[in-house]
Amino acid sequence: MSNTGLQTLDYIVFFTYLVGVSAYGYWIYNKKKSKEVSSTDYFLAEGSLTFWAIGASIIASNISAEHFIGMSGSGFAIGLAISSYEWMAAASLIVVAVFILPVYLKNKIYTMPQFLRQRYNPTVATIMAVFWLLLYVFVNLTSILYLGALALEVTAGLDFTYGIIGLGIFAVIITIGGMKVIGYTDVVQVIVLILGGLATTYLALDLVSQHFNRPGIFNALALLKEQGDSHFHMILPKENPFYKDLPGLSVIIGAMWINNLAYFGCNQYIIQRSLGADLSTARKGILFAAVLKLLIPIIVVIPGIAAYVLHQNGMFQQEMLDPAGAVKPDHAYPVLLNLLPSGLKGMAFAALTAAIVASLAGKANSISTIFTLDIYKQYINPQASEVKLVKIGRITIWVAMAIGVIIAPQLRVLEQAYQFIQEYSSFITPGVFAIFIFGMFWKRTTSAAALTAALLTIPLSTAGKFLWPDIPFLDRMGIIFLVLSAVIIIMTLADPKSKSNPKGLDIDSSMFSPGRGFVVASIVLCGVLAALYTVFW
């Protein structure tokens, strides 16, 4: 693999980014810090984030090493169909902005456990708060540190242990200033992420055009379609070996919606960016995130498809092999990155680091928010002052990151076990979405029904995994969601007290009517999505 590692110019570009983001974050912190310390201001940046900061922060929290490395690898192996995770997310974000976000803002919800406490009872809230904390710290935070350090080691030759420590410290520097600093530095992170990603995409397309002696980016795109036609189908047929990952129409009319709506609408570290803003600003921010979602496949999937076409035509024969001699799709992005000229490689390296650090900061801030407001304030020190809450929040960030840094290296020898854990951790999705969606839109839903659904989701998902191993994961998720929905409905209807359930939320139908500009922009975005799926059906 040529040009492996970073050159002097790459280090200059990278450290310019590093110092620039840190300095900008410090400037934002000093400029926007309040004279009166407020926990809602620290955790939510109440009223301080513009729509573009909210949108950029959502994307920055969402995109990490698994997108650059994993999704490019899926582009190599599967093709454009993997883009459904991004493009259908864009449509899901519109639904979140119109129907889910207003419920949170109208009822002054700051954390997801607070919603469950207000709608159901403290038991449901506490159980889910503890689960989310364990999941965010021991799975999400550690996985980002692990995958991030691994990606930096493969792409730039950076020592794995130093990578974990460096990413953790950089993320704490960004996170410790609160949501305002995270929100505005995420704008810079996203700009770096997109520019660095586009540099790699340009290189990949240029390599294709040179290999086939047909200069020009548009010629390169045409060549990708000609040479890799099998990789340009959005809806996979049952005979496709990757149908279990992307089961046909389920990606557009099935359980992909449950997966996305739960992730973007009921997930603290995603929705938290919007909870401190007014409804109009928050909606615009989420719509901006949806627009940015359309771009992600361009910077991560297209390079993977380009690597596939080049590999099929004789390039990267050794570089794409793992130690056992098998083709390793996840090598696609690092292989291309190592071909970038000095300077551009530094920018791409900065883009990868930006994606990792922004996700770490988002996770750490949400861990801090849930622990401080839903555990510490509720059970340890209910009389804590605002200054004390902010202090506890900052301590929590340090502790959570330290745990992540200690555990992450262990995942290196347990890689397959970790992937196993990742699949099972997502088994909570059907239950979470069911108790949230019924809690919002069916006033009769009882606390007992919600608690039962929450407790059943993991056992049912695990049983489904072993009883129906041949059913695609997304389809199993949909089935389990329907089962849990039936449980909630039956238990609620069987309880005569549910007719006078006092736990309903403050909901006004007028709050589900976005402005004309939002509607027009949403229609245009959905039109683009429809065109993409029609062209690449």
Side-chain angles (χ1 to χ4, degrees), residues 281-533:
T281 302
R283 271 185 170 145
K284 290 175 185 174
I286 292 179
L287 184 62
F288 181 48
V291 173
L292 292 176
K293 271 289 182 187
L294 297 181
L295 299 176
I296 302 303
I298 296 173
I299 65 176
V300 294
V301 180
I302 295 299
I305 298 175
Y308 166 79
V309 168
L310 292 169
H311 180 262
Q312 292 297 104
N313 285 274
M315 291 184 67
F316 312 139
Q317 296 304 299
Q318 294 301 314
E319 292 89 339
M320 290 302 301
L321 299 180
D322 64 13
V327 174
K328 183 74 170 176
D330 284 355
H331 285 187
Y333 200 83
V335 163
L336 292 170
L337 201 61
N338 279 322
L339 293 174
L340 280 170
S342 184
L344 279 181
K345 190 173 182 182
M347 180 181 288
F349 181 58
L352 186 57
T353 306
I356 298 163
V357 169
S359 289
L360 285 172
K363 287 287 195 308
N365 190 52
S366 294
I367 291 165
S368 172
T369 304
I370 290 177
F371 177 79
T372 304
L373 300 183
D374 294 298
I375 302 295
Y376 182 82
K377 187 178 181 181
Q378 292 296 321
Y379 299 105
I380 300 174
N381 188 359
Q383 307 303 319
S385 66
E386 294 292 289
V387 174
K388 182 70 172 178
L389 292 176
V390 172
K391 182 180 179 181
I392 292 298
R394 287 180 172 145
I395 293 172
T396 303
I397 290 167
W398 281 104
V399 172
M401 198 64 71
I403 292 172
V405 167
I406 292 168
I407 293 176
Q410 314 310 315
L411 300 180
R412 193 167 199 181
V413 296
L414 298 171
E415 186 172 357
Q416 294 305 313
Y418 169 69
Q419 292 168 356
F420 181 82
I421 292 170
Q422 271 290 74
E423 180 180 356
Y424 281 84
S425 70
S426 64
F427 282 6
I428 196 70
T429 298
V432 168
F433 187 59
I435 62 179
F436 268 78
I437 212 71
F438 277 95
M440 287 180 184
F441 300 111
W442 193 28
K443 188 176 181 179
R444 286 185 61 172
T445 308
T446 63
S447 301
L451 181 60
T452 303
L455 295 175
L456 281 178
T457 181
I458 292 178
L460 285 178
S461 297
T462 306
K465 167 74 174 176
F466 293 102
L467 293 175
W468 309 316
D470 295 328
I471 296 180
F473 176 70
L474 279 176
D475 290 344
R476 285 206 311 270
M477 181 188 292
I479 293 169
I480 291 161
F481 171 74
L482 293 176
V483 171
L484 293 175
S485 297
V487 168
I488 289 174
I489 292 169
I490 292 169
M491 287 189 65
T492 297
L493 293 178
D495 185 352
K497 295 180 180 178
S498 67
K499 292 181 180 179
S500 56
N501 190 354
K503 290 286 186 178
L505 299 166
D506 184 6
I507 293 179
D508 178 0
S509 59
S510 64
M511 67 189 191
F512 300 121
S513 301
R516 182 177 298 177
F518 181 95
V519 172
V520 171
S522 298
I523 291 172
V524 171
L525 189 147
C526 290
V528 171
L529 287 173
L532 288 168
Y533 276 90

Side-chain angles (χ1 to χ4, degrees), residues 114-427:
Q114 181 200 343
F115 169 85
L116 298 176
R117 184 181 301 107
Q118 192 166 317
R119 175 58 182 84
Y120 296 117
N121 60 34
T123 303
V124 176
T126 304
I127 288 173
M128 293 306 298
V130 170
F131 174 80
W132 273 316
L133 285 174
L134 293 174
L135 184 67
Y136 287 170
V137 174
F138 291 97
V139 176
N140 296 142
L141 200 65
T142 54
S143 72
I144 296 172
L145 282 166
Y146 165 70
L147 289 172
L150 193 64
L152 299 185
E153 181 185 51
V154 172
T155 57
L158 188 69
D159 180 81
F160 180 77
T161 303
Y162 290 151
I164 287 178
I165 296 171
L167 289 171
I169 292 173
F170 190 16
V172 168
I173 291 171
I174 298 298
T175 315
I176 209 78
M179 182 54 77
K180 277 182 284 196
V181 174
I182 293 172
Y184 283 104
T185 53
D186 277 351
V187 175
V188 179
Q189 307 274 43
V190 166
I191 292 171
V192 173
L193 186 157
I194 291 174
L195 289 178
L198 287 175
T200 308
T201 301
Y202 176 82
L203 166 78
L205 294 175
D206 189 54
L207 281 174
V208 171
S209 65
Q210 287 181 28
H211 188 80
F212 292 95
N213 198 26
R214 283 169 58 180
I217 296 301
F218 290 106
N219 281 333
L221 290 169
L223 282 164
L224 288 187
K225 184 70 170 65
E226 291 172 16
Q227 299 292 322
D229 183 65
S230 62
H231 279 46
F232 280 89
H233 301 290
M234 291 300 300
I235 307 301
L236 302 182
K238 284 190 175 181
E239 57 270 19
N240 190 293
F242 296 100
Y243 181 82
K244 287 187 71 173
D245 299 315
L246 295 162
L249 289 174
S250 289
V251 299
I252 55 174
I253 58 174
M256 181 70 86
W257 283 95
I258 297 171
N259 186 65
N260 285 341
L261 290 173
Y263 180 82
F264 289 103
C266 312
N267 192 339
Q268 182 70 31
Y269 76 90
I270 293 295
I271 201 68
Q272 184 167 336
R273 280 97 187 91
S274 312
L275 299 182
D278 62 85
L279 181 56
S280 176
T281 302
R283 271 185 170 145
K284 290 175 185 174
I286 292 179
L287 184 62
F288 181 48
V291 173
L292 292 176
K293 271 289 182 187
L294 297 181
L295 299 176
I296 302 303
I298 296 173
I299 65 176
V300 294
V301 180
I302 295 299
I305 298 175
Y308 166 79
V309 168
L310 292 169
H311 180 262
Q312 292 297 104
N313 285 274
M315 291 184 67
F316 312 139
Q317 296 304 299
Q318 294 301 314
E319 292 89 339
M320 290 302 301
L321 299 180
D322 64 13
V327 174
K328 183 74 170 176
D330 284 355
H331 285 187
Y333 200 83
V335 163
L336 292 170
L337 201 61
N338 279 322
L339 293 174
L340 280 170
S342 184
L344 279 181
K345 190 173 182 182
M347 180 181 288
F349 181 58
L352 186 57
T353 306
I356 298 163
V357 169
S359 289
L360 285 172
K363 287 287 195 308
N365 190 52
S366 294
I367 291 165
S368 172
T369 304
I370 290 177
F371 177 79
T372 304
L373 300 183
D374 294 298
I375 302 295
Y376 182 82
K377 187 178 181 181
Q378 292 296 321
Y379 299 105
I380 300 174
N381 188 359
Q383 307 303 319
S385 66
E386 294 292 289
V387 174
K388 182 70 172 178
L389 292 176
V390 172
K391 182 180 179 181
I392 292 298
R394 287 180 172 145
I395 293 172
T396 303
I397 290 167
W398 281 104
V399 172
M401 198 64 71
I403 292 172
V405 167
I406 292 168
I407 293 176
Q410 314 310 315
L411 300 180
R412 193 167 199 181
V413 296
L414 298 171
E415 186 172 357
Q416 294 305 313
Y418 169 69
Q419 292 168 356
F420 181 82
I421 292 170
Q422 271 290 74
E423 180 180 356
Y424 281 84
S425 70
S426 64
F427 282 6

